[in-house]
Amino acid sequence: MFLFVANQKKPSDIINGLVANRNKLLRLLADHKLDKEDENFEADKAHVVSGIASLKPGDLA
């Protein structure tokens, strides 16, 4: 999933899939915790959450 969000040239089908499942994906990421603190993971997760939250149907990267 992270790769789909981070890809700067997402096909419209991927964007539409991410938008259609936005709420589920954001809940999944919000609930996902690691056993130990990992700053890199948390930074990557924040980037993915931001990317998903900002997508709109039909957006082209």
Side-chain angles (χ1 to χ4, degrees):
M1 170 182 43
F2 291 163
L3 294 176
F4 290 125
V5 176
N7 183 358
Q8 296 296 316
K9 297 182 180 183
K10 292 179 271 303
S12 61
D13 290 345
I14 296 296
I15 293 171
N16 291 334
L18 291 169
V19 169
N21 293 292
R22 176 191 341 245
N23 291 337
K24 291 177 187 176
L25 292 169
L26 293 175
R27 271 195 312 262
L28 173 74
L29 289 167
D31 293 342
H32 187 71
K33 306 286 187 234
L34 295 178
D35 292 337
K36 62 179 183 170
E37 192 170 321
D38 183 338
E39 291 179 18
N40 289 331
F41 175 78
E42 292 300 324
D44 289 344
K45 186 171 92 170
H47 178 73
V48 169
V49 167
S50 174
I52 292 172
S54 68
L55 287 174
K56 297 177 189 79
D59 276 353
L60 294 176

